[in-house]
């Protein structure tokens, strides 16, 4: 079939297999061009490995330090005549490239929150890898079925305490408008913490620890975001921010566990705001990203997921110098986003943005290009007018 983008709100309901493969290859090429990461990890588990920061982490581990990788993800498989979600194609493309390069790669498609997937991964590590050097926890999910109670918790992106009104953009239609989001209830806050907080990360580390699958000195990292004040009501001080506080709590608990295991460590890396499937669902944030991209590209400091993760691995986790932590014990690869020159410029542009000047004062065009790339569209060398087979089996 001929596969074209079909955008519905902040999601594209189609994905292009060859385009996704070309996107994965671009990321692999970046990591290879940066050269080997000396002392990098050799056996890596990535939870949330098919898209965004998790996929970039897996590619960096494999092609930067020759790691054997296991990836856990939740995607809709392809069917006859119906494309999969893009992470399905990304994972196939990654696995093919890794195996071609002589690297072990194994995939677990299912619910990372479940006891069953954890058990499958534990058994596979025992059988294939023995132990793990690095666990990357990069889930972004709208819901979690609790493994003990069976209750389904849904995360929400809402402010806390009072309604929040700010500018937002419909990235597809290019319309800037004002949005008011009502505050979350106590139950919604608790549910968001249950889904996006640190409990599941702890359960993963507990399962691996109990089975003695963490190599001495093993490390673990999970990802967070802080961002500028203009987004704080909806992000840092909102429901998702409460979940991220819980992730930080979990980081400290896991750090103690890993420290006792041959002086390993666990920490949070605060990453840059980027176009991903998850960030595009947050009100207000896409407008901020469109302004940020314009400013960082002009300054020559713009990075995508792969540049961020390659830098995190090569300069922080496995860098030649000791990793640098902020006052809260977090690594900051959002450093270039947060410099005062950039943030002062965002503050100046923000009140001036309208539907009419959107193209001129923001990089909405770059936002759209990146958004389409997430689904495998707009990649060089791919013929989008040609027939392509959407049904691709997982390897
Ligand atoms: P993403 O949407 O690109 O990827 C999410 C991944 O989680 C996918 O691989 C998906 O398959 C997997 N997943 C979701 N639910 C799952 C489930 N139940 N079981 C197994 N796998 C599941 O997300 P992202 O933007 O890369 O976010 C990853 C992490 O990085 C999150 O913690 C997010 O808060 C953080 N982060 C994102 C940004 C940003 O701007 N995008 C910035 C800083 C930090």
């Amino acid at each position: 079939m001929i596969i074209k983008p079909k955008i519905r709100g902040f999601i594209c309901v189609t994905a292009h297999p060859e385009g996704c493969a070309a996107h994965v290859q671009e990321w692999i090429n970046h990591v290879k061009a940066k050269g080997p990461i000396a002392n990098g990890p050799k056996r890596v588990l990535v939870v949330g490995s098919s898209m965004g920061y998790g996929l970039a982490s897996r590619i960096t581990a494999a092609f930067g330090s020759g790691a054997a990788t296991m990836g856990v993800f939740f995607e809709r498989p392809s069917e006859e005549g119906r494309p999969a979600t893009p992470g399905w194609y990304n994972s196939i493309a990654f696995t093919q490239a890794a195996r071609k390069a002589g690297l072990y790669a194994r995939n677990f498609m299912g619910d990372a929150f479940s006891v069953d997937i954890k058990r499958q991964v534990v058994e596979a590590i025992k059988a294939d890898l023995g132990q793990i050097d690095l666990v990357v926890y990069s889930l972004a999910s709208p819901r979690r079925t609790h493994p003990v109670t069976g209750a389904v918790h849904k995360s929400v992106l809402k402010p806390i305490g009072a309604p929040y009104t700010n500018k937002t953009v419909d990235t597809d239609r290019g319309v800037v408008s004002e949005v008011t989001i009502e505050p979350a209830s106590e139950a919604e806050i608790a549910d968001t913490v249950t889904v996006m907080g640190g409990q599941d990360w702890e359960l993963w580390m507990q399962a691996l620890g109990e089975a003695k699958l963490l190599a001495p000195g093993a490390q673990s990292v999970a990802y967070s975001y802080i961002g500028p004040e203009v987004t704080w009501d909806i992000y840092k001080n909102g429901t998702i921010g409460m979940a991220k506080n819980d992730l930080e709590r979990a980081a400290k608990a896991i750090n103690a566990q890993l420290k006792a295991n041959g002086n390993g460590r666990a920490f949070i890396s605060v990453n840059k705001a980027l176009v991903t499937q998850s960030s595009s669902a947050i009100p207000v944030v896409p407008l901020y990203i469109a302004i940020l991209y314009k400013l960082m590209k002009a300054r020559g400091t713009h990075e995508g997921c792969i540049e961020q993760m390659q830098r995190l691995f090569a300069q922080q986790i496995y860098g030649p110098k000791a990793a640098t932590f902020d006052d809260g014990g977090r690594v900051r690869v959002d450093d270039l986003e947060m410099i005062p020159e950039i943030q002062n410029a965002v503050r100046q542009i923000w009140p001036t943005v309208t539907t009419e000047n959107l193209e001129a004062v923001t990089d909405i065009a770059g936002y759209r290009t990146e958004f389409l790339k997430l689904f495998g569209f707009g990649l060089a060398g791919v013929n989008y007018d040609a027939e392509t087979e959407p049904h691709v089996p997982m390897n």
Side-chain angles (χ1 to χ4, degrees):
M1 69 191 276
I2 292 171
I3 307 174
K4 299 277 176 186
K6 269 192 208 158
I7 296 173
R8 303 273 179 273
F10 52 77
I11 191 92
C12 177
V13 296
T14 51
H16 199 283
E18 284 143 41
C20 289
H23 195 199
V24 166
Q25 192 59 48
E26 272 189 3
W27 285 13
I28 293 172
N29 293 346
H30 173 80
V31 172
K32 280 186 173 169
K34 285 284 179 185
I37 300 168
N39 309 317
K42 292 294 175 208
R43 296 160 300 179
V44 177
L45 169 64
V46 182
V47 183
S49 65
S50 56
M51 296 288 289
Y53 278 119
L55 175 62
S57 305
R58 190 178 191 186
I59 289 175
T60 301
F63 291 92
S65 64
T69 61
M70 288 190 181
V72 181
F73 51 87
F74 200 48
E75 302 288 341
R76 192 190 67 229
S78 61
E79 293 166 28
E80 291 296 336
R82 188 181 185 213
T85 47
W88 176 263
Y89 298 131
N90 289 343
S91 301
I92 291 169
F94 166 82
T95 305
Q96 282 173 351
R99 290 183 185 159
K100 205 168 152 197
L103 300 171
Y104 172 98
R106 188 162 165 185
N107 300 310
F108 298 84
M109 227 292 282
D111 184 5
F113 295 124
S114 69
V115 173
D116 182 48
I117 278 278
K118 292 185 178 75
R119 198 178 295 133
Q120 286 181 39
V121 171
V122 160
E123 290 311 317
I125 296 170
K126 274 186 200 162
D128 295 359
L129 302 180
Q131 286 188 316
I132 288 289
D133 305 314
L134 173 70
V135 180
V136 176
Y137 189 81
S138 187
L139 279 193
S141 176
R143 72 184 66 80
R144 173 181 177 206
T145 304
H146 197 280
V148 177
T149 64
V152 178
H153 301 268
K154 289 187 180 157
S155 67
V156 297
L157 294 157
K158 291 188 178 181
I160 292 174
Y164 167 60
T165 300
N166 210 329
K167 275 186 184 177
T168 196
V169 65
D170 178 327
T171 51
D172 189 30
R173 288 165 48 234
V175 176
V176 178
S177 62
E178 214 171 63
V179 64
T180 297
I181 307 153
E182 293 303 319
S185 66
E186 288 301 321
E188 285 176 320
I189 299 170
D191 276 339
T192 307
V193 172
T194 303
V195 179
M196 286 296 287
Q199 189 189 49
D200 183 59
W201 184 21
E202 289 181 284
L203 291 174
W204 271 101
M205 299 310 292
Q206 194 184 318
L208 297 169
E210 280 170 7
K212 308 238 175 313
L213 300 180
L214 296 166
Q219 303 195 47
S220 188
V221 62
Y223 301 137
S224 187
Y225 183 64
I226 295 177
E229 259 174 75
V230 69
T231 63
W232 278 4
D233 282 346
I234 190 70
Y235 202 99
K236 178 174 167 286
N237 299 334
T239 48
I240 182 71
M242 298 306 108
K244 292 300 183 187
N245 290 347
D246 188 63
L247 199 67
E248 298 206 9
R249 174 203 58 72
K252 292 193 177 75
I254 297 167
N255 190 49
Q257 175 196 355
L258 294 183
K259 206 170 166 44
N261 180 51
N263 213 18
R265 64 184 174 187
F267 57 91
I268 300 284
S269 171
V270 182
N271 302 343
K272 179 191 178 193
L274 283 176
V275 183
T276 66
Q277 267 190 312
S278 303
S279 68
S280 56
I282 310 175
V284 182
V285 167
L287 181 56
Y288 166 71
I289 291 179
I291 299 172
L292 183 71
Y293 276 24
K294 173 124 182 151
L295 296 169
M296 292 187 80
K297 283 179 184 174
R299 215 184 152 88
T301 55
H302 176 68
E303 295 174 301
C305 288
I306 197 63
E307 289 82 3
Q308 282 266 293
M309 293 300 95
Q310 199 281 336
R311 186 155 71 89
L312 174 67
F313 278 57
Q315 293 180 24
Q316 294 287 347
I317 313 184
Y318 300 103
K321 292 191 227 133
T324 45
F325 296 95
D326 70 6
D327 295 347
R330 301 167 291 225
V331 166
R332 304 296 295 264
V333 288
D334 66 340
D335 49 352
L336 301 174
E337 168 183 353
M338 297 313 292
I339 60 169
E341 289 84 341
I342 293 287
Q343 290 303 326
N344 289 338
V346 171
R347 264 194 296 278
Q348 279 176 9
I349 294 169
W350 188 267
T352 70
V353 187
T354 60
T355 302
E356 289 67 38
N357 68 13
L358 182 68
E359 303 276 346
V361 301
T362 79
D363 185 27
I364 191 72
Y367 185 101
R368 291 192 184 112
T369 303
E370 282 299 306
F371 180 78
L372 285 172
K373 271 176 108 174
L374 296 177
F375 302 90
F377 296 108
L379 276 294
V382 178
N383 181 357
Y384 291 97
D385 295 321
E387 284 287 333
T388 186
E389 175 54 60
H391 193 28
V392 188
M394 182 62 61
N395 26 28

